[in-house]
Amino acid sequence: MDVRVNLHLEGTGSCSNNPLMCPVGNIGIVLKQRCQKVNRSPSNGQQFILRDYTRSVNRFPVIQIPANALTSPMYLFRELVTLNLDHMLCVFLHQHLAQGAFYLSSGGLTGFHLSADVEVVEIEVVEDEIERSERKEASRFVVEMLSRKQRRVLDLDFNKLVKAGDNCAVCLEELIAKEEIKGQTTEKRTQLITMPCHHIFHASCISRWLEEQNSCPMCRRQIQYEDLVG
């Protein structure tokens, strides 16, 4: 969320009766809420705006600042809370508006009107769909090549390579799945993939992992072309 505040002094006057009871000024707030949908490329970080629109514009009742409120820093904050604004936005506005009001009143200006144009921009970042699709296809290719290359090794030495209690580092579930049939627990063999570094994972898990990273989740060794064809 991006918040922008522009303050405008629209006029000054004087209060002639009881200065402690008359307002030294008032504050008007106009809140514009905008939404931006931004496309960002994961490879180079470049981004551009896909959509930018104004969701709502709210003009709130004027907040009067009495002279005796200048000694109470929380007066303005309490008034902002009554507008049902987001808490963090109240804190942000209070910092800007309190400083402006105090500066004007301490300079001897009374009867001023401080206008605050507030713009809140909610930013939604979406990943480039084409690049995501390409990474997904690349991940499937890598897993298929590793599967072909290591399938014979797993078939011959499965009991040596995979032991009961060994977990997949991606999903943290056991590599050897178990199922109960008629009161008896049996092992259910799922497709496993041995990485070039000899760490073993569920094929579906490592496929999702490789869509984001070209390395082993455990040792971070990157996959090379020779690992697939050598």
Side-chain angles (χ1 to χ4, degrees):
M1 183 174 68
D2 185 20
V3 181
R4 304 160 192 171
V5 179
N6 292 318
L7 301 181
H8 307 282
L9 182 63
E10 296 187 352
T12 60
S14 60
C15 190
S16 57
N17 297 325
N18 186 347
L20 292 180
M21 297 302 295
C22 293
V24 296
N26 56 60
I27 298 175
I29 300 175
V30 177
L31 174 63
K32 177 190 291 186
Q33 291 183 303
R34 285 175 48 209
C35 295
Q36 284 185 352
K37 189 172 184 178
V38 179
N39 180 286
R40 181 172 61 195
S41 173
S43 59
N44 55 26
Q46 292 184 348
Q47 60 185 36
F48 59 92
I49 298 175
L50 295 174
R51 191 181 179 197
D52 188 341
Y53 62 96
T54 299
R55 189 170 66 183
S56 64
V57 177
N58 294 316
R59 186 180 298 273
F60 295 100
V62 171
I63 299 176
Q64 290 192 336
I65 308 296
N68 54 7
L70 295 176
T71 59
S72 176
M74 293 304 295
Y75 174 84
L76 178 57
F77 185 78
R78 288 194 296 267
E79 292 295 313
L80 291 172
V81 170
T82 62
L83 302 180
N84 294 321
L85 299 175
D86 177 80
H87 177 75
M88 292 305 299
L89 181 58
C90 284
V91 173
F92 185 83
L93 287 177
H94 179 257
Q95 293 174 346
H96 284 73
L97 297 177
Q99 290 177 358
F102 182 79
Y103 173 78
L104 293 171
S105 59
S106 62
L109 298 178
T110 58
F112 62 81
H113 179 74
L114 191 61
S115 176
D117 293 327
V118 185
E119 189 175 64
V120 177
V121 183
E122 296 181 5
I123 302 175
E124 177 188 1
V125 178
V126 295
E127 192 175 293
D128 188 89
E129 292 295 335
I130 297 177
E131 193 159 343
R132 183 190 302 174
S133 177
E134 290 176 349
R135 287 208 323 272
K136 194 169 184 177
E137 289 300 319
S139 173
R140 290 175 180 171
F141 171 76
V142 170
V143 170
E144 178 61 26
M145 294 297 291
L146 289 175
S147 178
R148 290 179 183 177
K149 189 174 181 180
Q150 303 294 339
R151 188 175 294 144
R152 186 169 180 272
V153 176
L154 267 177
D155 288 342
L156 292 175
D157 299 322
F158 185 87
N159 293 329
K160 293 181 180 179
L161 297 173
V162 182
K163 299 179 177 60
D166 288 350
N167 294 335
C168 170
V170 178
C171 68
L172 303 180
E173 298 291 336
E174 289 191 28
L175 291 172
I176 303 177
K178 297 178 181 179
E179 60 180 356
E180 189 170 323
I181 301 177
K182 296 181 179 181
Q184 293 185 346
T185 301
T186 59
E187 294 181 356
K188 179 183 178 182
R189 184 174 298 192
T190 58
Q191 185 181 2
L192 303 177
I193 292 294
T194 302
M195 296 285 279
C197 53
H198 306 300
H199 291 125
I200 302 175
F201 307 91
H202 293 130
S204 58
C205 294
I206 197 62
S207 180
R208 291 194 300 270
W209 173 270
L210 291 174
E211 290 177 19
E212 303 295 335
Q213 306 287 339
N214 184 38
S215 60
C216 171
M218 295 186 69
C219 65
R220 300 296 178 175
R221 180 189 183 280
Q222 290 198 344
I223 299 173
Q224 308 296 328
Y225 176 75
E226 294 77 12
D227 296 325
L228 305 179
V229 298

